[in-house]
Amino acid sequence: MNNYVLYRKWRPKSFSELVGQTAIRKTLVNAISQNRIAHAYLFSGPRGTGKTSTARILAKAINCKTENIEDRLICNTCENCIDINLSNSLDLIEIDAASNRGIDEIRSIRDKSNYSPSKSLYKVYVLDEAHMLTKDASNALLKTLEEPPPHVIFILATTEADKMEPTILSRCQRFDFKKIDDNDIVQRLVQIANDEKVNVSESAIKRIAEISEGSLRDAESFLEQIILSNDEEYIDTDQINTILGITDLKQIELLQESILTGNISQ
């Protein structure tokens, strides 16, 4: 049984599949193609915009064993790529900084980073919600970020870069992820709906894109919730409003108009 939710099943596996963030994608592809890899990155931006997905793609691109594929980037068929796709790689260490935010946890990361990768060229540490690190933990991470072992790359992901220590920020190559455009979200949802054989109206997909507020992960989660909650063969906007418990835009516009015109009874 496939227990993957939609946003995990449809997580991009290469730079070409990454939705939005065109400038970031182009910069990273050029850096890898020219073998100009930074030792520390900061991915900052709203939730659901592709920060951790991009971190995983970057980890694959620098460790892929197959050359001359997509500008010598990612094949998704070699051992390293498959391990990362299945979350089985010993050389991609993903850490939730919200629950591992203390100095002891960071010291452990610092000590373990000295060991060589098990079978990859680089060992990649991804610290999600990096703004949650304590000040002491950030200070413990500083030296390693400034002069890491040659086989180690750090990727810090955060939704609140303004809460991070300036000394940490200064040691990372920073990429600011933007909210994803509604049109890009619509295209992705149409692709998912077609593949999943779900009959959903164009207006309904546009409504999902609107309420997701630039987060593709939220949009995919909304779509899955609607698919699971709906017994009809065809999904339209009214069903989405009912299932998700949101107000129809026409009702909101009518309320605004009544307020502006002083129509109390309406």
Side-chain angles (χ1 to χ4, degrees):
M1 185 174 104
N2 186 353
N3 61 354
Y4 282 131
V5 294
L6 281 184
Y7 78 83
R8 290 189 63 193
K9 179 179 178 181
W10 285 88
R11 169 174 269 178
K13 293 181 173 62
S14 64
F15 285 112
S16 61
E17 295 180 6
L18 195 61
V19 178
Q21 319 305 343
T22 304
I24 294 174
R25 179 171 67 243
K26 182 177 180 180
T27 302
L28 291 175
V29 167
N30 288 341
I32 297 165
S33 299
Q34 298 171 25
N35 197 28
R36 301 178 66 178
I37 311 298
H39 60 271
Y41 293 90
L42 175 70
F43 292 169
S44 172
R47 71 182 191 280
T49 52
K51 298 185 297 296
T52 54
S53 292
T54 303
R56 293 169 67 92
I57 292 170
L58 178 58
K60 279 193 294 186
I62 60 179
N63 285 316
C64 181
K65 292 184 175 181
T66 304
E67 294 189 358
N68 301 317
I69 302 293
E70 194 186 334
D71 292 330
R72 199 179 60 81
L73 293 184
I74 300 170
C75 70
N76 276 314
T77 57
C78 72
E79 184 180 16
N80 287 342
C81 285
I82 291 173
D83 283 347
I84 291 176
N85 285 340
L86 296 176
S87 299
N88 291 334
S89 175
L90 298 176
D91 298 321
L92 173 60
I93 302 95
E94 298 184 65
I95 299 166
D96 177 18
S99 54
N100 297 275
R101 59 196 300 263
I103 189 171
D104 291 335
E105 289 86 354
I106 297 303
R107 281 174 175 166
S108 176
I109 294 172
R110 185 182 61 191
D111 294 340
K112 291 177 180 178
S113 68
N114 290 318
Y115 295 104
S116 299
S118 63
K119 55 185 177 182
S120 303
L121 183 61
Y122 292 97
K123 182 182 288 188
V124 181
Y125 285 89
V126 180
L127 273 68
D128 199 14
E129 299 300 334
H131 65 276
M132 296 293 289
L133 292 175
T134 65
K135 186 169 184 177
D136 288 340
S138 296
N139 290 334
L141 186 61
L142 273 178
K143 186 64 176 177
T144 306
L145 282 182
E146 190 171 30
E147 297 178 6
H151 57 265
V152 172
I153 292 174
F154 284 94
I155 304 175
L156 280 59
T158 178
T159 54
E160 301 181 64
D162 57 303
K163 292 185 178 180
M164 297 183 64
E165 294 292 324
T167 47
I168 291 287
L169 298 178
S170 67
R171 286 161 172 79
C172 298
Q173 189 174 112
R174 179 169 176 170
F175 291 89
D176 289 311
F177 286 67
K178 308 299 182 184
K179 288 186 176 182
I180 300 176
D181 185 79
D182 282 359
N183 291 330
D184 290 334
I185 293 178
V186 167
Q187 290 180 16
R188 187 63 162 178
L189 294 184
V190 168
Q191 180 185 5
I192 294 173
N194 289 337
D195 190 83
E196 299 290 330
K197 295 179 174 54
V198 177
N199 193 2
V200 54
S201 70
E202 182 179 349
S203 61
I205 287 182
K206 288 182 178 178
R207 182 64 172 138
I208 295 173
E210 289 173 357
I211 63 177
S212 66
E213 298 181 341
S215 170
L216 180 58
R217 184 175 64 231
D218 285 0
E220 291 168 340
S221 295
F222 286 144
L223 178 61
E224 180 162 43
Q225 182 179 345
I226 291 160
I227 292 172
L228 294 175
S229 303
N230 188 68
D231 294 327
E232 304 295 331
E233 293 184 358
Y234 183 72
I235 302 173
D236 59 21
T237 307
D238 290 338
Q239 291 167 310
I240 288 177
N241 292 335
T242 301
I243 293 170
L244 297 182
I246 55 180
T247 305
D248 190 293
L249 287 176
K250 293 181 181 178
Q251 294 296 323
I252 297 175
E253 291 171 356
L254 180 61
L255 175 61
Q256 290 174 331
E257 182 180 349
S258 299
I259 291 173
L260 291 174
T261 58
N263 190 339
I264 305 300
S265 61
Q266 181 66 43

